[in-house]
Amino acid sequence: MLIELLYDPAKRQTALAIWRDGRWTIEQAVTLPSGERLVPYRPTNALIRHQVVVLASEPVEYGSIADLAAEIRGYMHRYVDLSPAFETVAVTYVLLSWVYDAFNELPYLRVRGDYGSGKTRFLLVLGALCYKAFFGSGASTVSPLFHIQDAFRGTLVLDEADFRFSDEKAEVVKILNNGNVAGMPVLRTMQNGNGELQPRAFQVFGPKVLASRGTYEDQALESRFLTEAMGKRSLRPDIPINLPDAYRDEAQALRNKLLLYRFRNRNTAAIDPSLVDDTLEARRNQVLVPLLSAAPDETAWAAISELSRHEPTLEKGSIDQRLARIVRDLIAAAPGKHVSIAAITSALRTSGDPAYAHVEPRYVGALLRRTLGLSTAKRHGVFVVLPEEITRVISVVESGSPADSKHT
């Protein structure tokens, strides 16, 4: 038996979809063999009413898995400009999200780019299809993210996921660090009704789709992402500048088909050990094989394998490019002298973009070292970029590709 929460936005009603013996029914309550009675959340629940959490409204026939994958691709292609490989990966990730709890490890999906590169559009379009997706941003407080993930066990869709200005960075990163492996809850101390403090385990395992401007300092976390660099090319002329309301109805129709896909495939989804790639490291295989196992065909396998080896270049106008230009100009202004991280940070803060008005030197230093591949050193008690790095900086500015990038 599988039981799923439904919400019909037209009727403003919730219900339960029950899958038994190869057939489904819609009911208002179900009593389990243990005697426990399950009822749906009320339709007045703010998370459901405002579609912070997006749900199917009923199971709908989809034909074959190939037909469903093609329909998902067509929907995404209409509204988002992605590389062909990443578009295929995104379609497969949607399918994986609907059977994710059949696996013990998961990859994360991410788009990187500066403002105006289409990151938020991608999250809205893709997130509307994922299993019980709920939307948040880097500005969200951590507590709702823990509680919603634990209650709905769906897909976390997170915008502005850089966290460089947030005091709660460590808490959000706990969700990301623990959330791709089943059985690794986050423990937090909560106060009960009597005012007593008690530990509670929050389940944070599930698919996650993120958008960010930069990368993370933790390489273990970075290894869990499949990433597309946005804004590298001119926008396709057929992509609408403004997202039409019709996308919501299209997404609702696809979620209904994906619900039936879950019912039919959840209990047969499993790891295919033959998909392990001996040329990749164990961690990379660990997160890729579940996605490969959910892929609808060999074309999807090839796209996932290609992306797993792809190193995205820096998108024009990104924070990485901006930093490279700042370093180049500062070194040029004082030939032969080193440039402090503090001076680079100050220049970035005053560059005119409010998003960087409070950026911290530690974050800037991490970007210089990891994303741009620049070496830093300590001189007279402060960290600096040495003047001999000017050749590498100029290479980054002109080509948009770091000469010795570490990220994948």
Side-chain angles (χ1 to χ4, degrees):
M1 181 191 294
L2 289 173
I3 305 172
E4 291 294 335
L5 176 65
L6 303 176
Y7 176 65
D8 187 330
K11 298 179 180 178
R12 298 184 182 180
Q13 294 177 351
T14 54
L16 299 176
I18 317 297
W19 177 258
R20 299 185 188 93
D21 302 322
R23 294 187 299 274
W24 60 267
T25 59
I26 295 179
E27 304 175 21
Q28 284 301 315
V30 59
T31 301
L32 302 180
S34 63
E36 183 180 11
R37 185 171 183 268
L38 302 181
V39 297
Y41 279 89
R42 295 177 181 176
T44 54
N45 181 289
L47 295 175
I48 295 173
R49 184 175 75 252
H50 297 301
Q51 297 196 48
V52 176
V53 179
V54 292
L55 302 166
S57 57
E58 63 175 337
V60 170
E61 181 58 53
Y62 58 86
S64 69
I65 295 177
D67 292 337
L68 180 58
E71 193 171 349
I72 295 170
R73 179 188 291 275
Y75 159 83
M76 292 186 59
H77 193 78
R78 279 193 293 278
Y79 299 122
V80 187
D81 189 6
L82 301 171
S83 66
F86 194 77
E87 187 174 82
T88 300
V89 170
V91 170
T92 306
Y93 199 83
V94 170
L95 295 174
L96 173 64
S97 75
W98 285 83
V99 293
Y100 84 89
D101 47 344
F103 301 96
N104 290 319
E105 295 90 15
L106 296 172
Y108 297 151
L109 210 60
R110 177 178 63 188
V111 288
R112 287 184 59 240
D114 211 348
Y115 62 89
S117 59
K119 302 189 306 298
T120 302
R121 168 72 65 88
F122 170 80
L123 294 184
L124 289 172
V125 171
L126 181 83
L129 299 186
C130 289
Y131 178 63
K132 290 194 289 192
F134 60 100
F135 294 82
S137 75
S140 303
T141 57
V142 174
S143 180
L145 299 181
F146 278 112
H147 283 274
I148 296 172
Q149 180 91 67
D150 184 71
F152 287 90
R153 310 292 172 93
T155 304
L156 172 60
V157 181
L158 199 58
D159 199 4
E160 299 296 337
D162 290 285
F163 314 122
R164 57 184 178 275
F165 309 138
S166 175
D167 293 336
E168 297 182 324
K169 171 184 174 181
E171 294 296 319
V172 176
V173 170
K174 285 178 184 177
I175 296 177
L176 300 179
N177 279 332
N178 291 37
N180 82 308
V181 178
M184 292 292 291
V186 173
L187 300 178
R188 304 191 75 191
T189 300
M190 307 293 292
Q191 193 173 52
N192 63 19
N194 298 322
E196 300 172 334
L197 296 178
Q198 294 182 340
R200 178 178 170 184
F202 287 86
Q203 299 296 333
V204 294
F205 176 60
K208 294 173 180 60
V209 183
L210 283 73
S212 67
R213 297 191 180 191
T215 56
Y216 295 105
E217 297 178 29
D218 183 356
Q219 286 298 309
L221 178 56
E222 275 293 308
S223 70
R224 296 166 186 162
F225 288 100
L226 288 169
T227 301
E228 170 91 323
M230 304 288 283
K232 292 169 55 180
R233 58 184 181 274
S234 299
L235 186 68
R236 283 197 347 253
D238 58 308
I239 298 289
I241 297 299
N242 299 106
L243 193 59
D245 290 339
Y247 95 94
R248 293 190 177 88
D249 295 331
E250 294 176 53
Q252 181 72 60
L254 280 169
R255 287 199 302 273
N256 290 348
K257 294 180 179 182
L258 284 160
L259 176 58
L260 186 57
Y261 166 83
R262 172 174 171 80
F263 283 158
R264 288 177 176 168
N265 294 278
R266 164 59 182 83
N267 291 329
T268 58
I271 288 290
D272 182 351
S274 69
L275 297 173
V276 173
D277 186 342
D278 294 334
T279 66
L280 297 177
E281 63 180 11
R283 167 59 69 84
R284 200 64 169 162
N285 270 311
Q286 185 185 56
V287 298
L288 282 177
V289 171
L291 186 64
L292 290 165
S293 299
D297 51 42
E298 293 183 2
T299 301
W301 293 344
I304 295 166
S305 298
E306 175 189 340
L307 194 68
S308 70
R309 293 174 172 82
H310 176 64
E311 183 176 338
T313 56
L314 302 177
E315 52 273 30
K316 182 177 180 182
S318 70
I319 184 174
D320 310 308
Q321 279 269 311
R322 188 172 303 188
L323 270 177
R325 292 191 182 94
I326 288 173
V327 175
R328 177 198 62 185
D329 294 343
L330 289 174
I331 291 178
K337 296 184 179 180
H338 56 248
V339 177
S340 70
I341 304 298
I344 298 169
T345 303
S346 177
L348 183 60
R349 287 175 175 175
T350 57
S351 63
D353 189 337
Y356 306 127
H358 304 287
V359 67
E360 295 297 328
R362 181 178 177 183
Y363 175 79
V364 172
L367 279 180
L368 293 170
R369 288 187 295 271
R370 264 190 336 100
T371 310
L372 298 184
L374 302 182
S375 298
T376 60
K378 202 168 187 178
R379 294 290 185 271
H380 307 294
V382 297
F383 283 95
V384 301
V385 173
L386 300 175
E388 49 262 39
E389 293 290 326
I390 186 63
T391 301
R392 190 182 308 228
V393 170
I394 291 174
S395 171
V396 171
V397 171
E398 291 179 349
S399 69
S401 180
D404 188 22
S405 177
K406 305 291 194 300
H407 74 277
T408 58

